[in-house]
Amino acid sequence: MPRNVRRRFAAVLATFALTAFHRPPAPSPRALPTRGALMGTLVTTAAMRAARAAHTATTLPDGRVLVAGGFTGEEHAVSGAELYDPASGRFTPLSRMSTLRHSHTATLLPNGKVLIVGGYTAGSAVLTSAELFDPITRRFAPTGALRAARAGHTAVALTNGKVLIAGGVGAGWSFLSSAELYDPATGRFTPTGQMAVARESHAAVPLRDGGVLVVGGHRGRRAEITLYTSAERYDVASGTFRKIGDMRVRRHKHDAVVLRDGRVLITGGTDERDMNGVYNSTELFDPASGTFTPGPVMARARYKHNGSAVLLADGTVLIAGGATQAETFDPRTQTFALVSGNSEMAGQFSAVAPLSGGGVLITGGYGGGRGPRTNAWLYRP
């Protein structure tokens, strides 16, 4: 890796290293130490054209996957994005993105385009810009600007076709409670209700009733950091957030995924000690009761894996980030099972996308003392 890229990557990592001061961590909830047999296989596939972490991977309507942004240098700007074709098992370069960015979000819109929002650019400047990728022309084009610059936020596609953008880090290392809606019909962002607290490194998922669950995260840095157990629910009709029950453990840098029965599985994360306080615990949120209950312990502790969980066709969940080995969760037996294979993943800030036929593409990330990687892996059920 060139020296200037190493320096830039070190600076970026520093922005994520919310290392601890000496506050005692919250205890993990009592969990069920259950394990299942090995499930599925992980194999390597062709490498990406650029090393990436904190990028995005989005499955397009034709089955290909758009991989965009991530920690990279200006000399790789021509490889700011690429397409993975499951038929050939290879990545091909795309035209330059409107803005190089990492820690952004990418959301598939009903019209088949991909909305890419915010993030950091060179020098850790926070972006207001957004752009659209058109899979037909294979080009990026600017769209309306955010009302507030933000990175490390969440984006959730709503049933009305709009996209909810919530929280994150703003200009001057401010932490945001604000939220916005993107309307594909107008190409504009408009404000919506504010969350009860400012959140970054939180998780957000769409619920079966059309609402959105926002859970955990933090505000502040280093000695001033505050981690949350709290959760909120966004109501589309009223455009407001409402506080709901608390998790059992304060978590940030965790993940959440909706199960087939409508419950939400929340996995891993960490406390104020960052890499020294990573959780293997999980929780389950029941939208009907608005309560969180302890879930079983994962086979591997994991963090920095937001967006890496995929609901598979048989109702199990693949958890493909945050550690060097993937695992599955079976809601019927309440068990986790490691995925077989000798391919060791990067772990942190990888990007994951489901493929037709039940497979999953896992791309890039960093970890194990190494920076962003070009590696990519395939999960086969």
Side-chain angles (χ1 to χ4, degrees), residues 1-9 75:
M1 184 184 296
R3 183 179 301 172
N4 63 328
V5 179
R6 289 198 301 268
R7 286 199 300 267
R8 180 174 296 171
F9 178 60
E75 64 271 30

Side-chain angles (χ1 to χ4, degrees), residues 64-318:
R64 293 175 300 168
V65 177
L66 171 68
V67 178
F71 301 154
T72 188
E74 180 62 25
E75 64 271 30
H76 296 307
V78 70
S79 298
E82 44 196 301
L83 275 180
Y84 178 78
D85 185 349
S88 65
R90 295 188 178 278
F91 292 87
T92 56
L94 290 168
S95 61
R96 183 183 177 117
M97 296 174 67
S98 299
T99 305
L100 283 181
R101 62 184 82 220
H102 69 83
S103 306
H104 55 284
T105 55
T107 309
L108 182 67
L109 301 176
N111 61 11
K113 296 181 180 181
V114 179
L115 173 69
I116 298 171
V117 173
Y120 298 99
T121 190
S124 297
V126 186
L127 294 167
T128 59
S129 69
E131 54 191 295
L132 293 170
F133 173 73
D134 186 336
I136 296 176
T137 64
R138 294 167 55 114
R139 293 188 176 275
F140 296 88
T143 186
L146 287 161
R147 309 284 294 218
R150 61 182 82 224
H153 53 282
T154 54
V156 175
L158 305 177
T159 54
N160 61 9
K162 297 180 180 180
V163 180
L164 174 69
I165 311 293
V169 171
W173 281 106
S174 57
F175 290 82
L176 304 177
S177 60
S178 64
E180 315 183 28
L181 292 172
Y182 177 78
D183 187 346
T186 63
R188 294 183 178 180
F189 292 87
T190 56
T192 188
Q194 289 205 144
M195 296 184 292
V197 294
R199 300 179 191 267
E200 193 232 357
S201 295
H202 52 296
V205 293
L207 300 174
R208 294 296 171 84
D209 65 359
V212 176
L213 173 71
V214 180
V215 60
H218 72 263
R219 72 169 183 270
R221 301 177 67 208
R222 301 188 177 94
E224 301 301 321
I225 193 170
T226 299
L227 269 64
Y228 300 123
T229 60
S230 67
E232 308 184 40
R233 188 170 186 159
Y234 178 75
D235 180 73
V236 176
S238 65
T240 59
F241 289 88
R242 175 174 57 87
K243 293 175 66 176
I244 55 176
D246 290 343
M247 292 187 294
R248 300 301 184 96
V249 171
R250 296 174 295 116
R251 299 176 193 268
H252 69 162
K253 306 180 183 180
H254 53 291
D255 198 13
V257 61
V258 181
L259 304 178
R260 182 178 284 176
D261 64 7
R263 294 179 300 161
V264 179
L265 173 68
I266 297 156
T267 58
T270 185
D271 60 24
E272 296 89 347
R273 296 171 298 169
D274 207 64
M275 66 181 295
N276 296 316
V278 183
Y279 299 143
N280 64 356
S281 64
T282 70
E283 307 190 31
L284 290 163
F285 173 72
D286 184 350
S289 63
T291 58
F292 294 85
T293 55
V297 171
M298 293 185 292
R300 296 286 183 268
R302 37 186 97 236
Y303 80 132
K304 296 181 179 178
H305 63 298
N306 193 293
S308 73
V310 176
L311 181 66
L312 303 175
D314 64 358
T316 61
V317 174
L318 173 70

